[in-house]
Amino acid sequence: MDGGAPRPLTVDALQASAAEEAFDLRRLLEANVPVAGGYLVDLPADTARLRSALEAARRDGSSIRFLPVFPSRAAADAFDAIDRATGDAEARLDALLEVLQSPAAQRGGPVRQLRIVGVDESPSGGAASVDRDRGDPDEVHVWSDAAPDAFWRVDRRSTRVSQPGEDLDVFSAEAVADLVDRVQLVLGVPVEITWCVQDRGRPMVLTVRELPLHPTFMLGRWSRLALVAADEGTVAPLAIDALDRGLGVEAPAVEPAVRRVYARPYRRRGGEPAKLGRPEPAPFALASAEVGRLLVDAAPILADALRFERGLDARMTRLDRDRLSRLAADALLDAVRQRHRLVAEALLLLDRCREITRRGLEALEAVVGALPDERYADLAAPRSPRTRRRIHDRLMKLRTRIETEHGDLVPPQKLSEATRKVWYATRADLADHRPLGIDVTPLPIGHDDETLLDALDRLPRFGHSARERARAEAAERVAQQARSRGRSRALLGRSLTLLLQRIARAKGGVGEGV
């Protein structure tokens, strides 16, 4: 840092940082999400600079927080409570700087910046934008530092507390829930934040990191039927309106089966609880009858999914011909309704594919017995179409090239001339391709340099190749269990794994339509 004065936490101050959290904080500031004000000090720093930042923070609040800007989320996880030590601010700062110089702290890369934040003495704590235990997207968790295990549950649909916790009042819990909800919508992924109070009692974001969710098959009337994230498709206001409003008029019988609540993955209403996890297979006669019913019921669903996917390009071409800004009111409403119809059809097909996936796994258990939990997710994971797989491979190749040159992802201005050409060629080719996932921005991957950099940053480290390997290993595990129970069950098990592969491919294709 040049000069002795600390820099206030602004978009410009965070611009030069390559740290993951700095990138996310900058996006929140740009979207006007309340982020705790504070001061950035570049490290290593002399005593005068640190004292200047400390005095400036004391004018903002009565309590001081020291927040290293870690180069990666992995590094941050290792030092989750690094500024929680007791004692005066100067002593805590000295201890923190000593820890940051240790080999353990340097393992994920050196910390180049330190945030010094003055906060009110009011409660502070954390929040998760989804249920941390079950991945339920319709429930937000809020807690205080004084009672982290006694968290508040807030229903996202009503924005009201569904189960009170401790050490906060209802108003504060609901205000923090709204804050973490806004963070998730901006960043496009489930998140966990720490928060504090500044600006006359207003909750503000202190730190933010992505909250990893794992595929789960949950029991109960409101169970998620298949995967938590991977096959949801791009979520946009159009998708919300399509189901919350359009289906009530267009096809009233559909609405009880599928419902979208705000911008989150929908859930099926009603239905029998899942039977996954049964310890022993069913008698052969019952198992074969269950497989027969499944094959009959799956055939029309797969046919509808294939018909939808094959006709998608033509339907999109017709929709893209509309110049919406030039349409009269009646024509505009009709054009919007056509888009509603397309989105609603895709979401309904996804739900039907999820339901048949669950039934396929139940039938598989009836034939071979229970499998390890991770094998259920491996068999149910959607298989992306060829176009999507090529996009992933191309992005992975670009990310590997950048990381080989610079050790980390950097914007195109810092790339070599040859890599910069590859960057802009990739961006041009992906100008019309959008990402998939929960609450992702509907902007195309190649919309601008920032969206491409974000796509590279959020690219799964283990993509479709690893997913297909896991699927093949799960199918082999099924075959081994089935063979151990006789030739007839082996044939049924083989039929079911092939069916689940076809369903996975259907989910991937329909997901592109969302």
Side-chain angles (χ1 to χ4, degrees):
M1 176 175 134
D2 296 328
R7 289 176 294 177
L9 188 73
T10 63
V11 171
D12 291 339
L14 293 167
Q15 188 77 38
S17 176
E20 291 177 344
E21 187 176 28
F23 181 71
D24 288 342
L25 289 172
R26 178 161 58 86
R27 292 178 62 189
L28 296 180
L29 286 170
E30 290 172 338
N32 295 317
V33 175
V35 174
Y39 299 88
L40 278 176
V41 179
D42 289 352
L43 299 177
D46 58 37
T47 303
R49 293 177 183 178
L50 291 169
R51 187 175 298 278
S52 177
L54 189 56
E55 292 304 318
R58 279 198 172 108
R59 292 192 290 270
D60 296 338
S62 55
S63 180
I64 302 297
R65 298 290 295 271
F66 299 109
L67 305 168
V69 182
F70 288 101
S72 69
R73 295 184 181 92
D77 289 341
F79 295 91
D80 210 14
I82 202 164
D83 75 322
R84 305 291 187 181
T86 58
D88 60 74
E90 286 80 359
R92 288 164 50 216
L93 178 58
D94 291 340
L96 172 62
L97 294 175
E98 183 177 347
V99 170
L100 291 178
Q101 297 302 315
S102 68
Q106 298 285 326
R107 192 170 299 136
V111 174
R112 300 296 187 188
Q113 290 179 310
L114 176 67
R115 290 169 59 201
I116 301 181
V117 183
V119 303
D120 295 348
E121 288 290 358
S122 304
S124 58
S129 63
V130 296
D131 183 319
R132 292 177 295 171
D133 299 322
R134 297 178 296 136
D136 184 350
D138 292 336
E139 185 171 281
V140 178
H141 287 183
V142 177
W143 61 91
S144 73
D145 288 332
D149 295 327
F151 53 82
W152 294 67
R153 298 179 186 268
V154 181
D155 187 333
R156 175 175 274 117
R157 295 162 296 177
S158 65
T159 68
R160 294 293 181 263
V161 170
S162 57
Q163 179 178 311
E166 295 180 7
D167 203 52
L168 294 173
D169 55 47
V170 171
F171 176 80
S172 298
E174 292 175 351
V176 174
D178 179 69
L179 176 64
V180 73
D181 188 41
R182 292 178 62 186
V183 173
Q184 172 171 292
L185 287 173
V186 171
L187 299 183
V189 293
V191 294
E192 184 172 312
I193 68 169
T194 60
W195 56 272
C196 67
V197 173
Q198 276 188 338
D199 190 18
R200 291 166 298 183
R202 188 183 189 188
M204 316 281 277
V205 176
L206 261 179
T207 64
V208 58
R209 68 187 62 170
E210 183 176 338
L211 183 64
L213 296 179
H214 304 287
T216 56
F217 295 85
M218 299 181 296
L219 302 177
R221 184 173 178 82
W222 289 85
S223 64
R224 177 165 312 286
L225 295 179
L227 299 180
V228 171
D231 60 344
E232 291 297 342
T234 300
V235 176
L238 177 63
I240 312 162
D241 196 38
L243 285 167
D244 279 357
R245 301 187 184 188
L247 291 179
V249 176
E250 291 290 329
V254 173
E255 194 170 10
V258 184
R259 178 90 176 166
R260 190 145 199 120
V261 181
Y262 298 104
R264 275 82 200 173
Y266 56 85
R267 295 191 289 179
R268 171 175 291 274
R269 292 185 172 186
E272 295 298 322
K275 302 173 186 175
L276 300 178
R278 72 171 89 189
E280 294 295 331
F284 181 76
L286 295 179
S288 57
E290 189 170 340
V291 172
R293 288 192 298 270
L294 175 68
L295 293 174
V296 171
D297 293 343
I301 296 175
L302 293 173
D304 289 346
L306 181 61
R307 188 162 44 247
F308 175 88
E309 186 180 358
R310 287 178 173 174
L312 183 60
D313 286 343
R315 293 176 69 177
M316 291 298 296
T317 299
R318 288 195 298 270
L319 293 175
D320 288 342
R321 290 194 191 120
D322 295 334
R323 296 294 184 92
L324 298 181
S325 60
R326 300 180 183 179
L327 296 180
D330 290 345
L332 179 61
L333 284 174
D334 183 65
V336 171
R337 179 68 69 188
Q338 291 180 41
R339 287 159 173 78
H340 284 180
R341 191 174 297 115
L342 176 61
V343 173
E345 188 178 332
L347 291 172
L348 178 59
L349 273 172
L350 273 179
D351 186 74
R352 293 172 67 195
C353 288
R354 287 194 180 93
E355 172 64 10
I356 209 69
T357 297
R358 182 181 63 82
R359 287 185 55 193
L361 293 171
E362 289 179 6
L364 194 60
E365 283 193 329
V367 172
V368 304
L371 294 167
D373 288 347
E374 65 273 11
R375 296 305 185 192
Y376 296 120
D378 293 338
L379 291 168
R383 187 174 193 270
S384 300
R386 185 176 302 166
T387 301
R388 179 65 57 178
R389 298 199 301 270
R390 287 174 176 171
I391 291 173
H392 182 279
D393 290 342
R394 186 165 184 182
L395 291 173
M396 180 63 75
K397 187 175 180 180
L398 176 58
R399 184 171 75 179
T400 301
R401 180 169 181 160
I402 294 172
E403 290 177 338
T404 300
E405 285 186 5
H406 296 272
D408 202 354
L409 289 175
V410 296
Q413 297 81 0
K414 298 183 179 181
L415 300 176
S416 65
E417 184 176 353
T419 304
R420 197 179 305 127
K421 289 181 180 179
V422 176
W423 173 284
Y424 287 115
T426 303
R427 187 183 135 186
D429 291 343
L430 301 183
D432 293 325
H433 293 281
R434 287 168 171 78
L436 298 181
I438 298 178
D439 289 338
V440 299
T441 169
L443 292 176
I445 295 171
H447 177 71
D448 54 26
D449 289 338
E450 185 174 357
T451 55
L452 179 55
L453 185 64
D454 186 46
L456 294 175
D457 179 51
R458 301 196 184 285
L459 198 63
R461 299 286 173 177
F462 304 99
H464 61 85
S465 298
R467 192 159 55 240
E468 293 311 308
R469 285 195 300 272
R471 195 192 313 277
E473 291 172 3
E476 178 58 29
R477 174 65 180 266
V478 169
Q480 291 174 0
Q481 286 189 222
R483 285 194 296 268
S484 70
R485 298 182 182 277
R487 179 178 175 81
S488 297
R489 289 185 184 266
L491 291 174
L492 286 180
R494 172 67 174 167
S495 299
L496 286 172
T497 53
L498 290 175
L499 176 63
L500 287 168
Q501 288 180 22
R502 292 186 62 193
I503 297 171
R505 176 61 186 83
K507 285 197 290 188
V510 173
E512 296 290 326
V514 180

